[in-house]
Amino acid sequence: PASLAYIGDAAATGSRGRAMALYGSAIGLTSMLAPPFAGLLRDRFGFGAVFVTLSAMMLIVAVPAFFFVGETLRVRRETKSSTSALSLLKNRRLFLSYVSAFCLLFSLGTLIVFLPLIGQEMGVSSARVGFWFAGFGIAAVIIQLALGRLSDRIGREPVIVMGFVVIAFALMLLPMARDWESMISVMAMYGVGFGVLFPAMTAL
């Protein structure tokens, strides 16, 4: 919430979709690099090494964040805001954004849980399973860099619908994937849907 609010404060109104696309590209880049790297660590040194390395990375990033990330909220209110969660849910556009986030992250969480198990059944190493996520990450980065301004131009809601349609097809094709190559192709298709959906959803 803090990072999204930070970008929302800093980005100009007409380029918020583009700003969120760059944010999403960072997520895609992480999905491209982290799972293969973590899989390699796990295969060679065990699960503990993955968590220790991640902990060290978090602490390293926390130091410059503390010193160099300033406040972006331009208007400070003396009194506490009376906006309730219920009133936010009653806003149709915000509700669409929340439901979109729920569905997207539900599907992504399901993939994170089950793809390694599918890989075990197929006899695929953890590092090679990581490359399935890399296929998702590469596609997501490319689409967001190429189409990041799309929702700024044509509106958030049509772009959200397009993203969900692509993701739905990818999820339908996933159970039909029977080898490593077809699995990475389906994950790349999922990445295309993510790349279309994420900037519009977060900008909304």
Side-chain angles (χ1 to χ4, degrees), residues 135-190:
F136 151 72
I138 292 169
V141 169
I142 291 171
I143 292 298
Q144 287 179 104
L145 292 178
L147 302 177
R149 295 187 187 277
L150 187 62
S151 73
D152 291 331
R153 291 173 181 161
I154 69 172
R156 315 291 185 209
E157 296 177 18
V159 178
I160 287 173
V161 171
M162 285 189 283
F164 271 127
V165 168
V166 176
I167 288 173
F169 275 109
L171 293 175
M172 281 192 286
L173 291 172
L174 194 68
M176 304 175 197
R178 292 287 181 263
D179 53 38
W180 188 84
E181 291 79 9
S182 58
M183 188 69 78
I184 200 169
S185 299
V186 172
M187 285 300 292
M189 184 179 181
Y190 182 91

Side-chain angles (χ1 to χ4, degrees), residues 92-169:
R92 186 186 66 82
R93 287 169 62 82
L94 285 178
F95 184 76
L96 173 61
S97 182
Y98 299 149
V99 171
S100 299
F102 177 84
C103 293
L104 177 63
L105 295 176
F106 194 101
S107 68
L108 189 57
T110 302
L111 291 174
I112 289 168
V113 170
F114 285 106
L115 281 186
L117 300 178
I118 293 170
Q120 284 182 358
E121 288 184 355
M122 293 171 62
V124 175
S125 68
S126 296
R128 281 173 63 84
V129 169
F131 279 103
W132 290 343
F133 289 101
F136 151 72
I138 292 169
V141 169
I142 291 171
I143 292 298
Q144 287 179 104
L145 292 178
L147 302 177
R149 295 187 187 277
L150 187 62
S151 73
D152 291 331
R153 291 173 181 161
I154 69 172
R156 315 291 185 209
E157 296 177 18
V159 178
I160 287 173
V161 171
M162 285 189 283
F164 271 127
V165 168
V166 176
I167 288 173
F169 275 109

Side-chain angles (χ1 to χ4, degrees), residues 37-68:
F37 174 68
L40 186 64
L41 275 179
R42 184 263 178 191
D43 289 340
R44 294 198 175 183
F45 304 109
F47 286 110
V50 177
F51 292 103
V52 169
T53 303
L54 183 59
S55 174
M57 291 170 65
M58 291 287 211
L59 291 172
I60 289 168
V61 171
V63 174
F66 179 79
F67 286 107
F68 298 114

